[in-house]
Amino acid sequence: MWLKPEEVLLKNALKLWVTQKSSCYFILQRRRGHGEGGGRLTGRLVGALDAVLDSNARVAPFRILLQVPGSQVYSPIACGELLSGSDVYWAIATGATLEEINQHWDWLEQNLLHTLSVFDNKDDIASFVKGKVKALIAEETSSRLAEQEEEPEKFREALVKFEARFSFPEAEKLVTYYSCCCWKGRVPRQGWLYLSINHLCFYSFFLGKELKLVVPWVDIQKLERTSNVFLTDTIRITTQNKERDFSMFLNLDEVFKIMEQLADVTLRRLLDNEVFDLDPDLQEPSQITKRDLEARAQNEFFRAFFRLPRQERLHDVVDCSLWTPFSRCHTVGRMFASDRYICFASKEDGCCNVILPLREVVSIEKMEDTSLLPNPIIISIRSKMAFQFIELKDRDNLVESLLVRLKQVHANHPVRYDTSRDEDLSREQIKISLWNDHFVEYGRTVCMFRTEKIRKLVAMGIPESLRGKLWLLFSDAVTDLASHPGYYGNLVEESMGKCCLVTEEIERDLHRSLPEHPAFQNETGIAALRRVLTAYAHRNPKIGYCQSMNILTSVLLLYAKEEEAFWLLVAVCERMLPDYFNHRVIGAQVDQSVFEELIKEHLPELAEHMNDLSALASISLSWFLTLFLSIMPLESAVSVVDCFFYDGIKAIFQLGLAVLEANAQGLCSSKDDGQALMVLSRFLDHIKNEDSPGPPVGSHHAFFSDDQEPYPGTDIADLIRDSYEKFGDQSVEQIEHLRCKHRIRVLQGHEDTTKQNVLRVVIPEVSILPEDLEELYDLFKREHMMSCYWEQPRPMAPRHDPSRPYAEQYRIDAQQFAHLFQLVSPWTCGAHTEILAERTFRLLDDNMDHLIEFKAFVSCLDVMYNGEMNEKIKLLYRLHISPALTENDRDSQSPLKNPLLSTSRPLVFGKSNGDAADYQKQLKQMIKDLAKEKDKTEKELPKMSQREFIQFCKTLYSMFHEDPEENDLYQAIATVTTLLLQIGEVGQRSSSSGSCSQEGGEELRASALFPEQDSVFADTSPSKVAQDSQTFPEEAEGDWTVSLEHILASLLTEQSLVNFFEKPLDIKSKLENAKINQYSLKTLEMSRQPQPELKLSNL
């Protein structure tokens, strides 16, 4: 066991301890008198002393000491004896047995020995090792406590530290934590790794330096085990810009599995919503615990191994032995009990597997316990077979729970005996006789013993007359068929006659499904295919219909009845090829990525020659989607389907590898992808089936076969045999692990594609630099994600929807927009910022769905940062009229779609009173020009009322707060405000008189800019302006108006205002601060008392 490091005096210790092993930093010692046969006198005395001591005071016979080379406490070792030097060491581990202490020694050698050489300071070495050992002790203690109680005190302590160190909202649930090292270059930082439901966090305080690392699971692009120069086994986390290595875990396997599960769960929950509703484990992330993740991993392996429905939940896993009559002995393995199944898998892979649907079970009984048959039970099934299990722990509780589920299954689905399948078979006598012999010995129902022998029979090819029946048994579609009487007929009745996009796609593909086969050259076969595909689309609208389903279904109809073909299609789409047939075919892409890794592993020479394996992956995509049915002659491809129904996707992987190996020479000599495609297509088109009783049916790629000379054919039986012999060593567990690993990459690849497509559309329309746009997109997406992490879903903020167009996949609501506005907008107005953000959101939300996209968000920011002064003023103007200020009317135009006004006339700002006349003339002319230019726009902006104008002024005053030129700006805006109030009065009087011409009115308004009285400028303080704004009577407010042209012209009279709106703004510093503060702003808001959501109401 590891010890809290303590100093040990070795001055007289040589008489008590003997050195067994040593290195530069560690010594392994044995207690004298322990393990010695005769022993010397000293050893006998020490042994006698240890023997008479109380058990609590006895010294462990083995220990490990820490020594630091070159320090004051180092002494060299020679021939097991210590030479001159200091006598102080640190004891860090003890062991009762040599095996135990060697385990600790091996861990030190593998994880610490090579690492310590990077330290220059000897005291740092001692501090690092002692800190690491203390962390291991704490982890061991917490692990033991976790086994004893549900919420150990240690975990609560870790939770308190996690919350204090990272300041996440309470909703960020900690799942587990580990002691480890995070590598920064060649230097390891000892600390604690915290795994929560949304983040991977690391904290270290070492040698006076604090390190905090927070990585959202959705940012992880690659999670893998690797090695570096110093350590043989590390966990590497790869994000968009960085790689982080973590090592020195007490149990690295456990840590990696938990991390893999958390990454998988989070990415599928947040980025893969097409299957979100199908997996209840992903619904409540706040309920996820370490134990739940381990159970989920075991559950997924169980479903994948036995290819059971996704809804099946595992209840019990029990070690036991099953009587196998064909071998006349009990086979050691495990029993898996779920909602509707009892399954058995032998410990020796492939030796014997059994699937017992509970609807086939007649009784479950306990037998008498004997020394030869300990804790036995008998499970009897309908086909008069019985399965004997022995060595079951906690047998009574297990049988009780099995009987409860058996009763429930029989109550929901009453058993109806069906003997119509036991018909005499007369075709292909040799194969049939082999199968009949197998049925007699191993069983002929879904409950048959599944052994290596049956795999060999399947590889030889299933007889035509048995193919449909065995497909139903191997896929367990027969259980679904028996459990849902009348279900298919009802679906057909409900779905037929309805016209929609899916049915149009089905109709378009009906006559492309095996057109060369006689069964689909008449309306009978076409009608059956139409009913099956339409019924399935009606059953599962999330999948609906995808191309390649027609080819697969047409082959199923050749060997099974119509209703049987439907349930076989259900088994393939929902269990055997999960996530293949949906909008983004994520499952197929994941398996393509897995296939690439298998090529690198099994065919390294081919992988090295073909630098870009994605070409092979694109060629082989149809292999997976159609199970080779579209690219191989039908009589050969059905043998591949035989193997697929028995072995699942593993059969397609290994056959694909066999095809590539057979064509490795041709592929290596090919000059481009087109030539490689030709090589593979010719080979696949000439695969024959010597045992097929029917006439050959060509494949869809027959047009590749215009060979000038005969091409040698390959028998499918030989190809399948080679695939099992050379590439059949992949287990289900390995494939599922690879799928989990590559699903992260595939989903992140889709995220990158979405990002690049959105940026490609936005970049030409704005002046913000592409690298800054990329940062903005990441902030926009992260804001959406943080709401998914910690807030209850709001009706206006739906989950990420990958089925939408790229630009609409991420959208934010008013509350999320307010956070981003505060972080990145240059128009920060103190307490007024939140109000301005609300108005900006309402203005951008032109379709009134309470959500905005990235493009609208960036277009608005582009005006704020890079727009000309008149563009910025126009945006501010629109933020203070309807619909931004009110909700009564909706402007159908986007704020940036109109041609923006541009003032080309140069302005001369006069400083003396003598220039006043020229200034008045220039402004009069500007108003006339603006009035003419206004007519060119698509739609005239409504004039601003006095109440709206006051809100406009408040915003301007707030924007100038803390500006270096604050006083000058306040005086300038006070002057402009007073002038505009007088302009509004002039307009009010002219509209009431009704006698002024348009041009005369313009002159009146222009003359109001420069009245002869100097009293207007006497007091320009904000308080005075506010008082002035309140002196106008209420009843006149409806008639008092100013236009955008008036406001722009007035603002142009003040140089300080012009300078303020035209000064360059730096978005990069804002983005840097936003990246740092985005989390803290969100957590600060979450920590406050619940605030009402931003309301889209009048101000």
Side-chain angles (χ1 to χ4, degrees):
M1 60 180 290
W2 298 106
L3 294 177
K4 183 178 180 181
E6 55 184 20
E7 290 187 1
V8 178
L9 294 175
L10 296 184
K11 187 173 183 180
N12 298 314
L14 293 179
K15 300 174 182 178
L16 302 178
W17 295 91
V18 178
T19 299
Q20 298 280 97
K21 294 181 182 179
S22 65
S23 67
C24 295
Y25 302 99
F26 303 106
I27 306 171
L28 189 155
Q29 293 184 328
R30 172 179 55 81
R31 185 80 165 172
R32 285 190 186 275
H34 182 83
E36 296 178 351
R40 300 177 181 175
L41 178 62
T42 307
R44 292 180 183 179
L45 289 174
V46 175
L49 177 65
D50 290 344
V52 299
L53 285 175
D54 181 74
S55 59
N56 293 327
R58 288 177 187 169
V59 180
F62 299 97
R63 70 178 183 181
I64 296 176
L65 304 180
L66 165 66
Q67 61 178 0
V68 182
S71 72
Q72 296 179 352
V73 296
Y74 172 70
S75 298
I77 298 173
C79 301
E81 299 294 337
L82 293 175
L83 302 179
S84 61
S86 177
D87 300 321
V88 181
Y89 284 62
W90 288 277
I92 59 174
T94 61
T97 64
L98 184 61
E99 181 182 5
E100 180 186 358
I101 203 68
N102 277 335
Q103 287 179 353
H104 288 67
W105 181 267
D106 292 342
W107 192 93
L108 291 170
E109 282 192 329
Q110 293 172 11
N111 292 279
L112 284 185
L113 194 58
H114 301 291
T115 306
L116 299 180
S117 59
V118 302
F119 291 99
D120 298 326
N121 191 318
K122 311 307 177 186
D123 293 334
D124 290 350
I125 295 177
S127 299
F128 179 79
V129 175
K130 289 190 286 185
K132 184 64 194 174
V133 171
K134 288 177 182 177
L136 291 174
I137 294 169
E139 187 172 344
E140 280 186 334
T141 304
S142 64
S143 298
R144 288 195 298 269
L145 288 170
E147 293 174 1
Q148 296 169 4
E149 55 182 295
E150 195 67 25
E151 274 196 8
E153 189 64 31
K154 289 289 182 182
F155 185 84
R156 284 194 289 270
E157 290 178 11
L159 180 59
V160 170
K161 291 179 180 178
F162 170 72
E163 292 173 345
R165 289 166 175 171
F166 298 100
S167 303
F168 284 127
E170 189 177 347
E172 186 66 18
K173 177 179 171 60
L174 177 64
V175 176
T176 187
Y177 64 101
Y178 299 96
S179 164
C180 70
C181 283
C182 177
W183 288 78
K184 189 173 182 180
R186 298 178 58 186
V187 180
R189 295 292 298 265
Q190 169 61 35
W192 291 91
L193 182 71
Y194 298 92
L195 306 181
S196 65
I197 55 176
N198 297 303
H199 299 86
L200 176 151
C201 306
F202 178 80
Y203 179 85
S204 172
F205 188 83
F206 183 60
L207 302 178
K209 294 182 180 179
E210 185 179 55
L211 172 66
K212 289 184 182 180
L213 177 66
V214 177
V215 181
W217 293 114
V218 292
D219 287 354
I220 292 178
Q221 297 183 339
K222 193 184 297 183
L223 175 63
E224 58 189 344
R225 292 176 65 165
T226 182
S227 59
N228 61 25
V229 179
F230 305 104
L231 295 175
T232 57
D233 212 357
T234 63
I235 297 176
R236 175 166 295 170
I237 305 294
T238 305
T239 56
Q240 186 175 4
N241 301 317
K242 291 185 179 179
E243 288 183 348
R244 299 279 187 180
D245 287 344
F246 298 89
S247 63
M248 300 187 198
F249 294 97
L250 194 61
N251 188 342
L252 189 135
D253 289 336
E254 176 194 303
V255 179
F256 186 73
K257 287 179 181 177
I258 294 294
M259 291 171 72
E260 198 173 49
Q261 282 287 310
L262 274 171
D264 184 56
V265 165
T266 308
L267 263 70
R268 293 175 70 180
R269 173 167 57 88
L270 297 175
L271 304 183
D272 192 18
N273 301 124
E274 289 179 280
V275 297
F276 182 87
D277 296 326
L278 299 180
D279 197 339
D281 292 330
L282 309 184
Q283 299 281 3
E284 290 293 336
S286 61
Q287 303 301 317
I288 293 176
T289 64
K290 178 182 174 183
R291 188 173 298 177
D292 291 337
L293 290 171
E294 292 168 346
R296 179 178 180 271
Q298 191 174 45
N299 208 11
E300 289 202 331
F301 167 74
F302 161 71
R303 291 198 303 256
F305 188 85
F306 295 104
R307 297 189 297 282
L308 298 180
R310 194 186 294 236
Q311 297 79 13
E312 204 64 23
R313 290 291 172 267
L314 185 62
H315 294 287
D316 302 292
V317 180
V318 185
D319 290 329
C320 64
S321 297
L322 170 66
W323 174 254
T324 47
F326 52 88
S327 61
R328 302 185 181 280
C329 67
H330 283 92
T331 301
V332 178
R334 278 183 168 182
M335 174 192 287
F336 300 83
S338 65
D339 295 333
R340 295 174 295 166
Y341 291 86
I342 300 172
C343 303
F344 174 84
S346 59
K347 283 195 173 180
E348 184 182 345
D349 190 31
C351 175
C352 177
N353 298 329
V354 175
I355 299 175
L356 304 176
L358 286 180
R359 72 175 312 280
E360 296 287 329
V361 175
V362 175
S363 65
I364 302 174
E365 300 173 303
K366 291 183 284 188
M367 292 175 59
E368 183 181 354
D369 188 6
T370 66
S371 58
L372 294 176
L373 300 175
N375 295 330
I377 67 171
I378 292 288
I379 299 179
S380 303
I381 63 173
R382 292 189 306 166
S383 57
K384 299 179 181 179
M385 285 181 65
F387 296 84
Q388 181 192 78
F389 296 88
I390 64 171
E391 299 175 341
L392 291 157
K393 293 182 179 179
D394 199 13
R395 177 183 63 166
D396 294 343
N397 288 333
L398 175 65
V399 171
E400 184 178 347
S401 63
L402 289 175
L403 287 173
V404 169
R405 291 196 290 274
L406 177 65
K407 184 177 180 180
Q408 185 177 0
V409 168
H410 282 186
N412 295 337
H413 305 290
V415 176
R416 293 199 301 272
Y417 290 90
D418 180 12
T419 58
S420 61
R421 296 194 166 275
D422 296 332
E423 57 207 30
D424 293 331
L425 308 173
S426 57
R427 298 179 60 189
E428 302 174 70
Q429 292 302 319
I430 297 177
K431 285 186 180 179
I432 291 176
S433 63
L434 290 173
W435 277 97
N436 280 333
D437 293 343
H438 186 274
F439 290 150
V440 170
E441 190 171 2
Y442 295 85
R444 63 186 310 119
T445 67
V446 69
C447 306
M448 67 175 68
F449 291 98
R450 305 183 189 214
T451 66
E452 191 62 33
K453 183 176 179 181
I454 197 171
R455 178 177 280 118
K456 292 178 180 177
L457 285 175
V458 171
M460 290 170 57
I462 298 175
E464 296 277 318
S465 56
L466 290 176
R467 182 163 277 135
K469 173 183 177 179
L470 288 174
W471 286 358
L472 286 165
L473 295 181
F474 293 155
S475 65
D476 196 39
V478 65
T479 301
D480 290 333
L481 174 65
S483 301
H484 298 84
Y487 177 83
Y488 173 69
N490 293 334
L491 275 182
V492 171
E493 188 176 341
E494 292 172 8
S495 61
M496 293 306 291
K498 293 184 178 180
C499 185
C500 60
L501 181 62
V502 171
T503 56
E504 291 175 6
E505 291 178 355
I506 291 173
E507 287 296 328
R508 189 166 58 245
D509 286 347
L510 284 177
H511 294 279
R512 305 175 187 172
S513 309
L514 298 187
E516 68 281 355
H517 199 284
F520 298 98
Q521 293 173 354
N522 57 68
E523 186 55 33
T524 303
I526 295 295
L529 181 59
R530 178 187 294 113
R531 287 191 295 270
V532 173
L533 291 174
T534 307
Y536 184 77
H538 190 70
R539 164 191 165 86
N540 192 343
K542 283 186 175 293
I543 291 178
Y545 169 76
C546 292
Q547 286 189 345
S548 77
M549 286 174 65
N550 59 319
I551 297 174
L552 175 61
T553 306
S554 58
V555 173
L556 298 178
L557 283 167
L558 293 179
Y559 297 99
K561 298 175 183 177
E562 187 175 319
E563 186 175 5
E564 294 172 344
F566 170 80
W567 287 110
L568 283 169
L569 183 64
V570 169
V572 172
C573 294
E574 298 177 13
R575 296 206 297 269
M576 304 186 74
L577 294 177
D579 307 337
Y580 262 58
F581 303 98
N582 55 27
H583 175 68
R584 298 189 295 174
V585 291
I586 292 292
Q589 292 185 53
V590 169
D591 282 349
Q592 289 298 292
S593 189
V594 171
F595 189 52
E596 286 184 35
E597 181 162 336
L598 293 176
I599 293 172
K600 293 177 184 177
E601 179 183 344
H602 293 280
L603 303 171
E605 293 182 2
L606 177 61
E608 185 178 352
H609 176 79
M610 302 195 71
N611 297 326
D612 185 10
L613 288 176
S614 59
L616 280 182
S618 61
I619 293 172
S620 63
L621 180 62
S622 61
W623 303 358
F624 290 82
L625 284 173
T626 66
L627 308 179
F628 286 91
L629 289 169
S630 64
I631 43 85
M632 207 184 270
L634 180 62
E635 65 275 8
S636 302
V638 290
S639 294
V640 178
V641 180
D642 294 342
C643 299
F644 168 75
F645 274 117
Y646 185 77
D647 266 324
I649 195 63
K650 171 186 172 181
I652 307 301
F653 281 128
Q654 63 193 33
L655 190 69
L657 291 172
V659 168
L660 293 181
E661 186 200 41
N663 292 273
Q665 185 176 354
L667 291 172
C668 288
S669 59
S670 60
K671 298 178 181 178
D672 52 37
D673 296 345
Q675 194 171 349
L677 174 61
M678 184 71 74
V679 168
L680 290 172
S681 299
R682 289 181 63 192
F683 175 82
L684 291 167
D685 197 51
H686 287 83
I687 293 178
K688 56 189 177 181
N689 188 346
E690 300 287 355
D691 298 332
S692 176
V697 179
S699 73
H700 290 258
H701 284 265
F703 63 86
F704 280 115
S705 302
D706 294 333
D707 301 318
Q708 299 299 324
E709 56 186 45
Y711 188 87
T714 303
D715 187 57
I716 185 63
D718 296 335
L719 189 64
I720 290 175
R721 185 180 64 252
D722 287 347
S723 74
Y724 274 102
E725 290 177 354
K726 297 178 180 179
F727 309 109
D729 56 346
Q730 295 292 330
S731 67
V732 173
E733 188 173 12
Q734 290 171 318
I735 290 175
E736 289 303 306
H737 165 69
L738 289 174
R739 278 177 161 178
C740 186
K741 171 184 173 181
H742 288 278
R743 188 181 294 113
I744 295 174
R745 298 183 185 181
V746 169
L747 288 175
Q748 291 293 9
H750 277 273
E751 290 300 298
D752 289 341
T753 301
T754 299
K755 179 178 179 178
Q756 296 307 320
N757 278 283
V758 171
L759 293 179
R760 188 172 66 247
V761 172
V762 173
I763 285 174
E765 300 190 12
V766 297
S767 302
I768 300 174
L769 295 175
E771 57 267 26
D772 295 334
L773 274 178
E774 194 169 342
E775 297 281 358
L776 280 169
Y777 182 89
D778 292 338
L779 289 170
F780 188 90
K781 176 181 173 182
R782 191 176 300 123
E783 187 65 41
H784 169 91
M785 288 298 176
M786 286 194 297
S787 297
C788 297
Y789 295 159
W790 303 318
E791 296 178 8
Q792 292 297 323
R794 297 190 292 274
M796 290 183 294
R799 301 189 201 106
H800 164 60
D801 187 357
S803 64
R804 299 179 68 89
Y806 289 120
E808 300 176 13
Q809 288 189 17
Y810 288 107
R811 297 180 293 171
I812 57 176
D813 62 15
Q815 187 173 336
Q816 295 161 349
F817 177 83
H819 295 154
L820 280 180
F821 190 90
Q822 183 176 347
L823 287 167
V824 299
S825 170
W827 294 354
T828 51
C829 313
H832 195 67
T833 303
E834 187 175 342
I835 297 173
L836 189 62
E838 291 182 34
R839 294 173 184 168
T840 308
F841 181 85
R842 282 195 290 268
L843 182 63
L844 298 178
D845 183 23
D846 51 3
N847 61 357
M848 300 295 288
D849 65 349
H850 308 296
L851 295 167
I852 65 166
E853 303 162 7
F854 178 71
K855 182 179 178 181
F857 170 70
V858 171
S859 299
C860 179
L861 279 183
D862 188 47
V863 173
M864 294 178 181
Y865 278 100
N866 303 313
E868 297 180 5
M869 178 179 174
N870 55 319
E871 295 173 330
K872 295 178 182 179
I873 298 304
K874 183 175 182 180
L875 176 59
L876 274 171
Y877 185 90
R878 298 199 69 170
L879 291 176
H880 295 84
I881 59 175
S882 177
L885 197 60
T886 66
E887 293 183 80
N888 298 332
D889 298 309
R890 179 171 69 88
D891 189 353
S892 61
Q893 296 179 357
S894 168
L896 304 174
K897 286 182 180 176
N898 285 348
L900 296 167
L901 298 176
S902 176
T903 306
S904 57
R905 178 184 297 276
L907 291 177
V908 178
F909 291 90
K911 299 297 181 182
S912 64
N913 292 334
D915 297 331
D918 293 337
Y919 208 14
Q920 287 185 16
K921 290 180 181 178
Q922 189 173 11
L923 289 174
K924 288 179 183 178
Q925 184 63 41
M926 180 184 294
I927 290 177
K928 292 180 181 179
D929 292 344
L930 290 172
K932 293 176 182 178
E933 195 166 348
K934 177 181 66 177
D935 297 334
K936 301 176 185 178
T937 62
E938 293 179 12
K939 184 177 180 181
E940 181 181 354
L941 288 175
K943 292 185 177 181
M944 185 178 282
S945 69
Q946 190 179 101
R947 184 178 66 85
E948 293 168 340
F949 175 69
I950 291 172
Q951 295 295 329
F952 178 84
C953 293
K954 285 182 179 179
T955 299
L956 289 177
Y957 276 112
S958 302
M959 288 171 63
F960 301 151
H961 183 58
E962 295 185 356
D963 189 275
E965 306 295 328
E966 183 176 359
N967 290 333
D968 292 342
L969 289 169
Y970 279 156
Q971 291 181 10
I973 196 60
T975 302
V976 169
T977 302
T978 305
L979 294 177
L980 285 169
L981 287 170
Q982 293 190 3
I983 289 176
E985 280 190 307
V986 171
Q988 183 180 358
R989 287 196 300 269
S990 65
S991 63
S992 62
S993 64
S995 59
C996 296
S997 65
Q998 181 178 356
E999 186 171 340
E1002 290 167 0
E1003 291 181 1
L1004 277 172
R1005 289 190 287 275
S1007 63
L1009 291 172
F1010 287 91
E1012 294 180 2
Q1013 295 86 349
D1014 293 334
S1015 59
V1016 172
F1017 303 94
D1019 188 354
T1020 57
S1021 66
S1023 60
K1024 177 63 177 174
V1025 174
Q1027 291 173 9
D1028 292 344
S1029 67
Q1030 294 174 4
T1031 60
F1032 291 90
E1034 292 270 339
E1035 59 271 13
E1037 184 179 343
D1039 300 326
W1040 188 100
T1041 59
V1042 292
S1043 67
L1044 171 64
E1045 293 79 8
H1046 294 143
I1047 292 175
L1048 182 59
S1050 301
L1051 290 172
L1052 288 170
T1053 64
E1054 295 291 334
Q1055 184 66 47
S1056 58
L1057 295 177
V1058 174
N1059 293 340
F1060 177 83
F1061 284 105
E1062 290 189 347
K1063 67 182 178 182
L1065 300 173
D1066 180 22
I1067 194 174
K1068 292 187 182 295
S1069 59
K1070 276 280 187 180
L1071 293 176
E1072 287 300 320
N1073 289 329
K1075 286 192 290 185
I1076 296 170
N1077 298 321
Q1078 189 174 21
Y1079 264 79
S1080 57
L1081 182 66
K1082 186 71 174 180
T1083 54
L1084 179 64
E1085 184 211 3
M1086 296 288 292
S1087 64
R1088 295 174 183 165
Q1089 293 296 327
Q1091 299 285 336
E1093 291 188 19
L1094 299 178
K1095 295 182 179 179
L1096 308 180
S1097 58
N1098 296 336
L1099 295 175

